Amino acid sequence: MTAPLGRRLAAEAVGTGVLVAVVVGSGIQAAELSRDAGVQLLANSLATVLGLGVLIAVLGPVSGAHFNPAVTLAAWFTGRRSTDGLTLRDVAAYVPAQIAGAVGGAVLADAMFGKPLVEWSTHDRSAPHLWLGEVVATAGLILLVLGLDRIGNASLAPVAVASYIGAAYWFTSSTSFANPAVTIGRAFTDTFAGIAPASVAPFVAAQSVGAALGLGAVIAVYGRPAPTGDDVVVPHGEPGLASS
């Protein structure tokens, strides 16, 4: 049984919001506790891995735990010919919910640490090598998410997706935003995890290219038969009644 759209949107907004709160809040905490950039990134990435894994496990059965417009669009594209895949109406509702949640999460993190609720980031991230990092990070994420579904292991998403993001924090030059909604949300905080508003559009463009390349990689590796789309990131429906 598929959860009603309203509940799915609530799950996407809350999940994306808490994810951004984890990313931004742990970044603030790390910067206040240590001046070492490596220690700061380690703390930030570890908190993100743990938080993301929990969010996918808890909210996946409701909405699929996308928390990411790139994942939502990829899920719609691969499942658009199936009867139970995401519809364009779903996509048009998911994406604004994710963006609103991301902005709210950044504001919440700033509030918890006594920062200005909204302060545009001054952390410039405008460089070709960073855009390439976003292409790679997003392509890998899409390949992982859709690949898990293709091989019938979507239940591994909480561990696999969180682990990939944690690794990509370190092996990509951009520290793996890999998410347009999160990128937009992080522009609202002038803290460790922030991104200057002028850097947002190029990052989102790079993420879009990465998503397309990730879809191409899925076809190259697994062939054209599409997954149901309704199971990405993890099977969703009433808890306990999910098909997997």
Side-chain angles (χ1 to χ4, degrees):
M1 180 185 297
T2 301
L5 181 59
R7 284 171 52 194
R8 287 186 278 146
L9 295 181
E12 287 297 303
V14 169
T16 312
V18 174
L19 174 60
V20 173
V22 169
V23 172
V24 174
S26 63
I28 296 172
Q29 185 80 285
E32 291 182 349
L33 294 176
S34 175
R35 295 183 179 180
D36 186 280
V39 173
Q40 293 172 356
L41 186 61
L42 178 61
N44 190 215
S45 60
L46 180 60
T48 301
V49 167
L50 297 175
L52 180 57
V54 169
L55 288 170
I56 294 174
V58 172
L59 298 177
V62 179
S63 68
H66 296 182
F67 313 147
N68 186 335
V71 172
T72 296
L73 286 166
W76 164 77
F77 184 82
T78 56
R80 67 194 186 283
R81 293 189 178 91
S82 66
T83 58
D84 57 352
L86 289 176
T87 65
L88 280 175
R89 175 173 175 262
D90 293 330
V91 174
Y94 267 46
V95 173
Q98 292 159 351
I99 293 173
V103 173
V107 172
L108 174 61
D110 283 340
M112 288 193 293
F113 287 91
K115 305 293 184 181
L117 297 185
V118 175
E119 187 174 19
W120 297 116
S121 176
T122 56
H123 193 165
D124 181 67
R125 299 180 189 261
S126 298
H129 69 280
L130 299 180
W131 305 334
L132 178 59
E134 281 301 288
V135 171
V136 171
T138 310
L141 177 63
I142 297 302
L143 175 60
L144 170 62
V145 169
L146 299 185
L148 285 173
D149 188 58
R150 288 289 189 97
I151 62 177
N153 282 334
S155 61
L156 297 179
V159 173
V161 174
S163 297
Y164 172 78
I165 292 298
Y169 253 90
W170 291 91
F171 80 76
T172 64
S173 56
S174 63
T175 66
S176 182
F177 286 49
N179 184 328
V182 168
T183 303
I184 292 171
R186 288 168 65 168
F188 284 76
T189 177
D190 192 21
T191 58
F192 176 83
I195 176 172
S199 301
V200 169
F203 259 53
V204 172
Q207 291 157 1
S208 300
V209 172
L213 292 175
L215 282 170
V218 170
I219 294 172
V221 173
Y222 299 104
R224 286 191 173 278
T228 62
D230 210 32
D231 293 339
V232 178
V233 170
V234 297
H236 62 89
E238 295 295 336
L241 297 180
S243 59
S244 303

